[in-house]
Amino acid sequence: VALAQQEESKAKNGETVILKAGTNISAQLSQTLDAETAKSGDDFLMTLTEDVTGAGITFAKGTELLGRVVRAKSVDSAGNISEISLSFDYLKSGEDYLRFKAVIVSGTTSGIKLAGVNFEPSEIFKYATVVSTKGKNLKIEAGLVCLLRLEQDLIKP
């Protein structure tokens, strides 16, 4: 058992951090997400809106970020809150998929911050963001540009 723990520790010490947790990056949503039709487990795609460089590696504008819907809730008859909880899984780098954990800090369309839409870390799902609005069904349009904050270091494989 001690040998296995030592080997695992060496592997972690030998990893190269490309981007540190807390780094902000900008990405654009590739498809529309609708609280009425989205289901837990649905995939979504975002792409970097600008080049991001860290530890000698550059991820070009257009690099894909793969995520999934962890929960969707449409507004009820009382007109309460509608929400979609989103989680990121991977950043595609060539043929590799790097584990990518981030939350959405804010979102804008045509440079204008979305009115009445909230972006908050999920209290239920670790590394997920709850996007919500009150009184109508939430529809997050393709083209939304989001500021993301890395929640874990992005590690070179």
Side-chain angles (χ1 to χ4, degrees), residues 50-115:
E50 55 194 36
D51 292 354
V52 176
T53 301
I57 297 173
T58 297
F59 303 107
K61 175 181 177 177
T63 296
E64 296 178 340
L65 306 174
L66 304 143
R68 63 190 155 79
V69 174
V70 290
R71 181 171 63 185
K73 177 183 162 196
S74 58
V75 72
D76 60 20
S77 59
N80 291 329
I81 294 173
S82 174
E83 65 183 38
I84 302 174
S85 298
L86 304 171
S87 176
F88 291 94
D89 296 318
Y90 299 102
L91 178 147
K92 187 175 181 195
S93 177
E95 297 300 315
D96 293 325
Y97 289 87
L98 306 179
R99 190 163 299 280
F100 183 84
K101 296 297 179 190
V103 293
I104 302 172
V105 176
S106 64
T108 60
T109 300
S110 302
I112 300 168
K113 188 173 179 175
L114 297 178

Side-chain angles (χ1 to χ4, degrees), residues 21-32:
T23 301
N24 290 329
I25 60 174
S26 180
Q28 185 172 36
L29 185 63
S30 298
Q31 76 268 7
T32 298

